[in-house]
Structure formats: C-alpha cells, structure tokens
C-alpha cells in the first residue's frame, strides 16, 4: 500500500470515529433538551419540534454510518445541512419575527438551545468539512448566522444592553470569531500533522523496500554461489581426493573457479547498484529478472514452462562431469494457466537448476536425464530424474532443506529418493487452484 493511500485510510477511519461520537452526543443532547422543554410551564412549539428532530436525525445518521462506513462523505454533508436547517434557519426566522412584530423581542423569543448550538456547529466545521470548503463555509456561516442577529441588536439598543442581549451579542460576535480563529489554527495544524505523518510513512516504506531488495540480492547471491562455485569446488575436492586429476588440471580448475567467483561478485555489485538506482526513481520497484549460475538473465514475465525450458537447456550446457556421459535429454513442461508471482517463478527455476546440477555432480554413469512438469489430478508435478548410481546417503543437504521449505510455501510436497532400477528422482508438487 502506498504512503498516500495509507495516510488517507487512517485519516478516514479517525474522521469516521469522531463523527460517530459527535452524532451520539448530539442525539443525547437533543433527548435532554426535549425532556427539559416538555416539563416547562410555557413551551414554544419550535422547542418541542427541533430537539427531537435533531436527536432522530443524528441517531439515524450514526446507525447508517456504522453499517455503511464508506459513505462518510454523504453523512457529513447530510449532517451539515441538518445542523444548518435546525440552527441557522430558525435563528434567521426569529430575527425576522422580532423585526416585523413590535410586540415581540429577540431576547425573549430566541431559545437558549439555539444560542448554545453555535459552538458544536462551528466545531463540526473543522472536524468534518473538507479542507477546500472550510473557508467558504465559515464566511457563509458568519453572514447568515451572526450578521442578522448583530444588526438587529445594534438597531435595538434596548435589547442589546439587557442581560440576555449582551449574552446573545457575545455569543454571535466575539465568541463566534474566536471559534473561527481556532478553526483556522486547527485546520492548519491538522494539515501539518497529516503532511508530517505522510512523510514518516513514506520514509519507513522506503526503508522496508530497500531492506526487501537487499534480502532478495542476498538470496540470489547465495543461490548463485551454491549452484556455481560451490558445485565446482565440491567436484574438484572429490577428484583431488581420488587422485584422478593432474596438477595442471587442478590449477586450470582453480583459475576457472577464481573467474567464476569474481563474476559472481560483479553480478552482486550490479544487482545492488541497479536496484538502488531504480528504487530511487520508483519506490515500488521489484526486480523481475533471474540470473542463473552461468550468467544468463531470464525475464520472469515470461510463462513458467518457457522459463523452465530455458533453465534446463542452459544448465545441461554447464561443464559438470556427469553431464558428459548423458546421451538422452528429455524435457516436457506443460503450460500453466494459473497466475504465479515473479518470486514464485524465480524459486521454481532455481529449484530446477539445483536439481539438475545435483545430477551433473552426483549421477555417476548417467546416460539419461529427464525433466518434466505435468498435471497430475489437481497438482502440478515438477520432476527431475536420472539413471545414475543413485544416492550415496540420505542425509538432508542444504538443497533438500530449501526444497522442503519451498514445498511448504506452495502448500505441496517434496521428495528425493533412489529408484530400484537405478538413479535418483527429485519431485516437487503443489496444488493448483484453477483445476
């Protein structure tokens, strides 16, 4: 997940939780206001209608948001218009009523809950309204809410200088201005925090990507060394112990081994350099190539069966002793319609390369090597078989441990055993989801 998407998701979750809490508080406040007005000696009709209407609306919006969390923008807009209709419009109507009816005054007919509702309305402005709209909403709120009340009070100084008039003037004047100033500061603070959070997420994601690339390079380096110089060194040690190799040939083999190790060192350097350069340009970069022990690069975007054929052909061309006696080379890899990731293709190709190298190193007297990938029931079975001398011992090697680990990740099985007719078979199978 990209840093921007993660930041946006966390912000939406926090915003949704805050909105549900505010809706619950408004619902409870409406219930208390309804009960309070119901038991008053003289109650206006509007006092009995607005509080329960607000409670019902907020409860409905909270339940809707709990069942449909993705509709937070629709709920936000609905709440904004609901509060506007329940607070701003009634206040303007009270101002008109006091202006056109001389026997009525604003300080007498303006309900206290409407005055106290200004604070949650302005608080909701910076909590729930999108940043690009908050300035326009603040200006409209000031024009339609404060201006009519303040103009009326200044035109009627008798009401203005009364105790209730001063309270109303301060609520719609300095208090509202202070609330709007806090809105400005909080919005800018919120933007700064979001930017800082996004930068931190981006930084840590970059670290994780770089670590993944380094880990991938280390694994590829280990495989190159295991399937290349270590195989050559093991053969050289075996032949030196059996005294079947001359001093000159030993020197030639050591020089070849030195060249092979240096080539792998350059390959590892190229991996690290190219990966770091590409990651600096594209943080989402993942390598899509595989380098075999002979230096061949394979494009992992190709189908698996074509990659396996290439691995088979390239590996059997290597100068391993028991490949020299092989006269029959059989390969048959069925095409897979199931999607496999590049990492899975890489591991399967390296498994085939190692299995073939083991045959070239250990299959004494082998004249036939077969590599197949076929469908059996609901499984795909990748098999390498030779007709050499068979296994010398059944001790689990590094290759066996890696093969068993690969089979576990694929949800399949691995087995390596000697055949009664002679030779060794290595078999890796895993279930297919599309069969």
């Amino acid at each position: 997940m990209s840093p921007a998407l993660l930041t946006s998701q966390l912000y939406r979750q926090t915003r949704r939780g805050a909105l549900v809490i505010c809706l619950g508080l408004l619902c409870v406040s409406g219930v208390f206001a309804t009960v309070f007005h119901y038991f008053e000696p003289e109650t206006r009709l509007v006092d009995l209608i607005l509080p329960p209407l607000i409670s019902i609306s907020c409860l409905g919006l909270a339940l809707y948001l709990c069942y449909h969390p993705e509709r937070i923008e629709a709920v936000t807009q609905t709440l904004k218009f609901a509060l506007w209709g329940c607070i701003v419009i009634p206040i303007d109507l009270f101002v008109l009523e006091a202006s056109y009816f001389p026997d009525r005054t604003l300080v007498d007919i303006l309900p206290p809950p409407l005055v106290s509702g200004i604070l949650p309305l302005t608080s909701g402005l910076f909590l729930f309204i999108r940043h690009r709209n908050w300035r326009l909403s603040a200006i409209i709120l000031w024009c339609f809410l404060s201006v009519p009340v303040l103009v009326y009070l200044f035109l009627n100084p008798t009401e203005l200088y009364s105790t209730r008039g001063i309270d109303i003037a301060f609520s719609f004047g300095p208090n509202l201005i202070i609330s709007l100033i806090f809105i400005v500061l909080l919005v800018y603070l919120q933007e700064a925090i979001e930017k800082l959070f996004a930068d931190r997420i981006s930084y840590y994601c970059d670290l994780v990507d770089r670590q993944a690339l380094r880990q991938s390079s280390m694994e590829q380096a280990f495989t190159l060394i295991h399937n290349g110089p270590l195989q050559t060194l093991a053969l050289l040690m075996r032949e030196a112990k059996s005294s079947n190799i001359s001093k000159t040939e030993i020197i030639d083999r050591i020089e070849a081994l030195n060249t092979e190790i240096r080539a792998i060192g350059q390959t590892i350097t190229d991996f690290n350099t190219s990966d770091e350069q590409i990651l600096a340009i594209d943080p989402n970069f993942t390598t899509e190539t595989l380098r075999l022990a002979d230096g061949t690069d394979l494009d992992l975007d190709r189908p698996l069966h074509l990659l396996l054929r290439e691995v088979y052909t390239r590996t059997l061309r290597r100068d391993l002793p028991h490949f020299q006696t092989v006269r029959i080379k059989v390969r048959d890899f069925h095409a897979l319609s199931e999607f496999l990731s590049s990492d899975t293709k890489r591991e399967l190709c390296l498994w085939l390369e190692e299995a073939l190298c083991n045959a070239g190193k250990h299959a004494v007297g082998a004249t036939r090597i077969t590599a197949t990938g076929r469908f059996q029931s609901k499984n795909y079975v990748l098999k390498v078989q030779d007709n050499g001398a068979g296994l010398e011992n059944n001790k689990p090697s590094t290759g066996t441990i890696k093969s068993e680990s690969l089979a576990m990740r694929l949800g399949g099985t691995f087995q390596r055993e000697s055949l009664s007719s002679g030779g060794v078979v290595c078999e890796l199978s895993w279930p297919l989801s599309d069969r």
Side-chain angles (χ1 to χ4, degrees):
M1 183 179 292
S2 67
L5 184 59
L6 180 59
T7 302
S8 176
Q9 183 177 355
L10 291 175
Y11 171 70
R12 287 177 63 87
Q13 290 177 353
T14 305
R15 189 165 168 241
R16 183 168 59 246
L19 182 56
V20 171
I21 292 174
C22 288
L23 287 171
L25 293 176
L26 286 173
C27 180
V28 174
S29 299
V31 171
F32 279 111
T34 302
V35 175
F36 176 77
H37 287 302
Y38 181 78
F39 289 102
E40 280 186 335
E42 295 181 4
T43 305
R44 297 171 61 90
L45 181 61
V46 67
D47 295 335
L48 297 177
I49 295 178
L50 285 180
L53 183 61
I54 293 176
S55 295
I56 295 173
S57 301
C58 292
L59 179 61
L61 290 174
L63 293 176
Y64 182 80
L65 187 60
C66 290
Y67 286 101
H68 302 280
E70 74 282 356
R71 301 300 304 276
I72 182 173
E73 297 301 335
V75 173
T76 300
Q77 295 300 320
T78 304
L79 176 61
K80 182 176 70 174
F81 287 114
L83 291 177
W84 193 275
C86 293
I87 295 178
V88 178
I89 294 178
I91 288 177
D92 290 341
L93 292 178
F94 282 121
V95 172
L96 291 175
E97 181 181 352
S99 300
Y100 286 100
F101 294 95
D103 59 331
R104 301 177 187 177
T105 61
L106 184 63
V107 295
D108 292 330
I109 65 175
L110 187 62
L114 289 183
V115 179
S116 60
I118 297 175
L119 183 59
L121 177 64
T122 54
S123 300
L125 193 65
F126 75 86
L127 281 174
F128 307 121
I129 297 176
R130 292 184 176 183
H131 293 172
R132 64 172 181 269
N133 294 331
W134 71 267
R135 295 179 180 87
L136 178 61
S137 298
I139 294 173
I140 295 175
L141 177 65
W142 173 262
C143 293
F144 283 88
L145 182 62
S146 296
V147 172
V149 174
L150 295 177
V151 169
Y152 174 86
L153 290 176
F154 279 109
L155 293 177
N156 297 272
T158 304
E159 295 184 41
L160 175 61
Y161 292 118
S162 65
T163 304
R164 181 79 196 288
I166 294 175
D167 179 63
I168 294 175
F170 269 94
S171 297
F172 286 86
N175 289 350
L176 186 58
I177 292 176
I178 292 173
S179 298
L180 294 178
I181 292 174
F182 275 113
I183 289 173
V184 174
L185 296 177
L186 287 170
V187 167
Y188 281 118
L189 179 62
Q190 187 179 23
E191 291 176 347
I193 292 175
E194 288 177 9
K195 185 178 183 300
L196 179 62
F197 184 74
D199 291 341
R200 290 294 90 189
I201 290 293
S202 178
Y203 172 74
Y204 288 119
C205 287
D206 184 60
L207 285 182
V208 171
D209 290 338
R210 291 180 184 276
Q211 183 63 30
L213 284 176
R214 292 189 182 98
Q215 182 67 25
S216 176
S217 297
M218 291 174 61
E219 292 176 356
Q220 292 187 51
F222 174 80
T223 303
L224 287 173
I225 295 172
H226 183 268
N227 292 349
L230 286 182
Q231 300 279 4
T232 304
L233 183 61
L235 291 173
L236 181 58
M237 292 174 60
R238 177 183 297 178
E239 293 178 5
K241 289 178 180 179
S242 63
S243 301
N244 292 330
I245 183 171
S246 65
K247 181 178 180 180
T248 303
E249 189 174 353
I250 290 177
I251 294 175
D252 292 340
R253 298 278 286 277
I254 292 176
E255 289 179 351
L257 181 61
N258 176 61
T259 302
E260 195 172 358
I261 293 175
R262 290 180 180 275
I264 290 178
Q266 184 61 43
T267 297
I268 295 172
T269 303
D270 293 342
F271 279 159
N272 292 332
T273 302
S274 61
D275 288 350
E276 292 291 336
Q277 291 175 345
I278 295 175
L279 184 59
I281 300 173
D282 181 9
N284 297 320
F285 166 76
T286 54
T287 179
E288 300 293 338
T289 60
L290 165 66
R291 179 162 295 182
L292 301 178
D294 67 347
T296 303
D297 289 327
L298 300 182
D299 183 3
L300 294 175
D301 287 333
R302 297 171 62 191
L304 178 64
H305 67 285
L306 298 181
L307 292 172
L308 296 175
R309 290 179 189 175
E310 188 73 16
V311 172
Y312 180 87
T313 302
R314 295 286 181 181
T315 304
L316 261 66
R317 291 177 183 174
R318 292 179 58 180
D319 187 20
L320 296 178
H322 301 303
F323 283 161
Q324 311 303 322
T325 60
V326 174
R327 296 292 178 265
I328 302 175
K329 303 175 182 179
V330 179
R331 67 179 187 187
D332 182 22
F333 301 106
H334 293 179
L336 271 173
S337 59
E338 184 178 82
F339 171 78
L340 295 176
S341 66
S342 297
D343 289 337
T344 302
K345 291 179 183 179
R346 177 183 290 107
E347 291 183 294
L348 291 173
C349 289
L350 292 175
W351 181 88
L352 177 62
E353 182 187 35
E354 182 176 357
L356 291 171
C357 286
N358 287 335
K361 184 173 66 173
H362 300 292
V364 180
T367 59
R368 178 188 178 96
I369 291 182
T370 303
T372 59
R374 294 172 179 171
F375 299 108
Q376 290 185 9
S377 182
K378 295 184 178 181
N379 295 335
Y380 191 84
V381 180
L382 195 57
K383 181 188 299 185
V384 175
Q385 182 176 335
D386 64 72
N387 62 346
L391 293 174
E392 296 179 359
N393 58 68
N394 291 324
K395 293 176 58 178
S397 62
T398 302
T400 301
I401 296 173
K402 289 176 59 179
S403 298
E404 291 175 346
S405 176
L406 174 59
M408 183 179 299
R409 288 195 296 273
L410 294 174
T413 58
F414 166 76
Q415 60 180 2
R416 182 169 180 257
E417 58 185 4
S418 295
L419 298 173
S420 58
S421 58
V424 176
V425 60
C426 289
E427 184 177 288
L428 176 68
S429 66
W430 68 92
L432 301 175
S433 58
D434 59 351
R435 292 181 67 84

